[in-house]
Amino acid sequence: MESHRAAQDPQLPGAKPAPPPPEKSENVTATDSEKPPQTGLLPGETVVREGKASILFPSANEVFYNPVQEFNRDLTCAVITEFARDQLAQRGLKVLVPGETERVVVSLAEEKNEADAQTEEKKNGGEEPAVTTTVGEKCENGLRVLEALAASGLRSVRFALEVPGLQSITANDFSTQAAALISRNAQYNEVSHLLQVSCRDASMLMYEMRGKKNRYDVIDLDPYGSPAPFLDAAVQAISEGGLLCITCTDMAVMAGNSGETCYSKYGSVSIKARYCHEMALRIILHSLDQRAAVYQRYIQPLLSVSVDFYIRVFVRVFTGQAVVKNSASKQALVYNCVGCGSFHLQRMGKRTAHGKQMKYSAATGPPVGPECEHCGQRHQLGGPIWAEPLHDTAFVQRVLSAVSGNPSRFGTSKRIEGVLSMVTEELEDAPLYYTVDNLSSTIHCNTPQLLQFRSALLHAGHRVSLSHACKNAIKTDAPPSVIWDIMRCWEKANPVKREKLSETSPAFKILSTEPSLQACFTVREDANPQSRKRHLTRFQENPQAFWGPKARAKAGGGISGDLQDRRKQFQNKRKNQTTDSSELKKFPCKRFKKVSSLTRRKCCSVCGCMLSLPLYVQGFQGIFFFSAET
């Protein structure tokens, strides 16, 4: 995660001794008037190596680096490489990737034979282009890339060293210290012929490049927190069919902790539900499509992933007034039951075909009644969200094939293969998901095995898949009534104590209805997806302590340690509880309201507060009773 912010401790995990500076560099900086910065190391500097890049970090902690986001940067390089391969093939160019030999099609379903593969290749690219381009060289007819919030320039340097077919890379940052460091890193890695340094406000830079001849082919936005302030400029500054790469790290807002803040930033109300991570992806896609539609443009998602503490989306942007009319029908409101967690989607618009013409009208609804038909509880209203597919499966398959055929290219290749494999298995037309443990928790029964529940849905004639956004998620086209019938059948085999259930609880309401189908929990062979059978790295453990978002940068440079200090302060706060009453006196009592002086009696010997009758007080370690004499 990179932006206008500062770095953590310069002694970064994985930092290696600095390599000797390049023997000779003829590169120049972004402006000819400035002298080229020294390529040697300064006292206290640290060199961090990631991919093929070696990045200098000053001891002053002026620029941000988060090693956990290596997966983000590796995936971005892989996606842009495949995007460049597709785009430059139309311009008669072929990209050459180091270490890549023959393209191997990695299919999780049935593999295609050679004849089908050759036919598809001819359809996509025609004959093989004669002109080639490789990494590190400037391609005059290549892609123009903008990293709007570059910080140290690590991502831009990696683009220059690892992505072929680039004409230029603009690394921009509002901080003068960051811009100076980007220039040094460009010279240190000998990529100044490709990388241009800019010290501008990111939004103003993109607004100035809105002209059709000035637009960028690829724009990468990786801010600290929300990208909302930059989205309007980004959808205008991207070229026709260009690629937008956007990261959101404000997951607390997008996952339902603050729905009103989410609406102010993205025009959508988030819900705290089990499917919140996929909903966050659909919220940012809704916001992108809505802002693009203002300028008669629309988006086409290529890949949308929720990993670690952030979400990352890759979308293409096109112009077309006729297609923009479909925008309302691509968005949907979400009705979420607060009792059982059932959800229903309500499209915002409706389109019907009348011959060769399309008629657009308001959608009819709502799809639910005043109360949930399964548990009798009320509904929450969330959204609108993007209700179309999150990925372009064909494109994701090509990225997966390239990474699997060249595993030594990235340090996180195994995880990329695992995540993209799950993405190709997901149902495209089934927004959001359920979790098996939450379904069991609702009716207070034992949790069925994941394969058993998937098999029951398959036996009932419905499609089902996993989700990369949640380990025990179930995406299915089955309606909630079928899902609860399956859970009722499971409860009959694993009964709960119904006498302990409240008559107003969702569990009592759901179990009071007899199932209309007889679920079969015999495990089927096709219930276990290929990514699970092959034991791919799908959900990794926490890589290190404090691996989440780093602290925000200070305005004058340097890093704010407040976030880190608070985390350390509140970790394990219940392990060492104070039992000495003299120590408890140091804590101010917040349990009781102030009373008038007439009703005050003596001080509490536990926490020092003034007591009033009745003579008891709830202290920090329990409830203490006092006699009238005290």
Side-chain angles (χ1 to χ4, degrees), residues 408-565:
S408 61
R409 184 184 177 195
F410 302 115
T412 60
S413 291
K414 289 186 177 179
R415 191 184 182 196
I416 292 177
E417 184 180 357
V419 172
L420 296 188
S421 297
M422 292 197 70
V423 165
T424 58
E425 295 170 342
E426 289 182 5
L427 294 179
E428 298 181 0
D429 56 348
L432 308 181
Y433 53 79
Y434 296 92
T435 58
V436 181
D437 57 340
N438 186 55
L439 295 173
S440 304
S441 176
T442 301
I443 60 176
H444 307 291
C445 71
N446 296 334
T447 304
Q449 294 182 6
L450 186 64
L451 295 185
Q452 287 181 310
F453 194 86
R454 285 171 56 91
S455 299
L457 286 168
L458 292 172
H459 283 302
H462 296 281
R463 295 177 297 135
V464 63
S465 75
L466 299 179
S467 172
H468 78 278
C470 183
K471 190 172 184 178
N472 56 346
I474 294 292
K475 292 177 70 71
T476 179
D477 60 352
S481 58
V482 172
I483 291 175
W484 287 120
D485 276 347
I486 292 175
M487 291 306 300
R488 292 184 185 104
C489 294
W490 175 260
E491 189 273 337
K492 288 183 179 295
N494 303 269
V496 301
K497 296 180 180 180
R498 309 227 177 161
E499 62 274 9
K500 292 188 176 182
L501 299 178
S502 171
E503 294 185 359
T504 59
S505 66
F508 184 86
K509 296 282 187 180
I510 292 172
L511 297 178
S512 298
T513 306
E514 287 296 319
S516 58
L517 65 85
Q518 294 301 319
C520 177
F521 294 95
T522 304
V523 177
R524 291 175 41 152
E525 181 66 22
D526 55 347
N528 196 15
Q530 290 293 324
S531 62
R532 195 169 183 270
K533 285 182 180 179
R534 294 164 55 190
H535 303 288
L536 299 179
T537 304
R538 302 176 300 164
F539 304 96
Q540 70 171 15
E541 296 181 357
N542 294 351
Q544 61 187 40
F546 308 112
W547 61 278
K550 304 300 182 182
R552 184 184 294 274
K554 294 180 180 178
I559 186 166
S560 172
D562 295 342
L563 180 62
Q564 194 90 337
D565 293 341

Side-chain angles (χ1 to χ4, degrees), residues 322-347:
V323 182
V324 170
K325 292 183 178 180
N326 297 328
S327 180
S329 61
K330 296 177 182 178
Q331 320 301 324
L333 296 172
V334 181
Y335 288 85
N336 180 75
C337 175
V338 299
C340 63
S342 302
F343 59 85
H344 300 266
L345 266 66
Q346 169 67 62
R347 297 276 179 160

Side-chain angles (χ1 to χ4, degrees), residues 59-86:
S59 57
N61 290 341
E62 295 170 348
V63 182
F64 179 86
Y65 172 72
N66 190 345
V68 178
Q69 290 244 32
E70 181 182 0
F71 172 81
N72 186 337
R73 292 182 281 268
D74 286 351
L75 181 62
T76 303
C77 289
V79 169
I80 296 179
T81 299
E82 198 59 37
F83 176 74
R85 196 193 307 271
D86 294 345

Side-chain angles (χ1 to χ4, degrees), residues 119-377:
T119 303
E120 185 177 354
E121 186 177 352
K122 288 181 179 179
K123 285 182 179 179
N124 292 337
E127 296 183 0
E128 206 170 289
V131 183
T132 60
T133 179
T134 186
V135 296
E137 67 178 21
K138 187 172 184 177
C139 179
E140 294 299 334
N141 201 23
L143 305 180
R144 298 176 65 241
V145 181
L146 168 66
E147 186 186 3
L149 310 168
S152 65
L154 168 60
R155 194 176 298 240
S156 294
V157 171
R158 290 197 59 184
F159 291 164
L161 294 173
E162 301 177 32
V163 179
L166 301 183
Q167 178 185 348
S168 66
I169 304 170
T170 302
N172 176 76
D173 200 284
F174 189 70
S175 168
T176 55
Q177 295 97 329
L181 187 61
I182 295 170
S183 182
R184 289 200 63 211
N185 283 322
Q187 287 200 354
Y188 192 85
N189 291 270
E190 299 184 343
V191 293
S192 294
H193 62 290
L194 274 175
L195 199 154
Q196 304 169 0
V197 183
S198 171
C199 186
R200 300 279 308 280
D201 178 87
S203 295
M204 294 306 299
L205 174 63
M206 290 186 285
Y207 278 130
E208 291 178 3
M209 305 300 286
R210 290 178 295 175
K212 292 184 179 180
K213 295 182 180 180
N214 299 326
R215 293 174 179 173
Y216 296 100
D217 298 299
V218 179
I219 295 179
D220 190 295
L221 290 176
D222 192 354
Y224 186 92
S226 173
F230 310 102
L231 297 183
D232 183 77
V235 296
Q236 296 182 71
I238 195 72
S239 63
E240 183 66 16
L243 179 66
L244 273 180
C245 315
I246 298 175
T247 302
C248 304
T249 56
D250 55 336
M251 289 301 294
V253 171
M254 304 189 75
N257 281 356
S258 184
E260 67 282 358
T261 304
C262 184
Y263 182 81
S264 66
K265 291 182 177 180
Y266 304 102
S268 178
V269 178
S270 57
I271 296 178
K272 187 180 292 186
R274 294 289 178 169
Y275 48 75
C276 60
H277 291 95
E278 182 178 327
M279 188 173 184
L281 289 171
R282 297 185 178 277
I283 286 175
I284 185 61
L285 292 178
H286 157 75
S287 184
L288 277 171
D289 187 68
Q290 187 180 47
R291 299 181 194 225
V294 174
Y295 308 102
Q296 300 302 308
R297 311 195 81 182
Y298 62 95
I299 67 169
Q300 176 190 341
L302 294 182
L303 175 63
S304 309
V305 292
S306 173
V307 291
D308 296 334
F309 55 86
Y310 61 91
I311 58 176
R312 180 74 164 167
V313 296
F314 302 88
V315 302
R316 296 185 69 183
V317 181
F318 298 90
T319 305
Q321 185 177 5
V323 182
V324 170
K325 292 183 178 180
N326 297 328
S327 180
S329 61
K330 296 177 182 178
Q331 320 301 324
L333 296 172
V334 181
Y335 288 85
N336 180 75
C337 175
V338 299
C340 63
S342 302
F343 59 85
H344 300 266
L345 266 66
Q346 169 67 62
R347 297 276 179 160
M348 297 288 292
K350 181 181 179 181
R351 57 177 180 172
T352 54
H354 291 272
K356 295 182 179 180
Q357 295 182 347
M358 296 295 297
K359 183 179 179 181
Y360 302 93
S361 59
T364 57
V368 296
E371 298 178 348
C372 177
E373 60 178 321
H374 307 292
C375 68
Q377 300 293 319

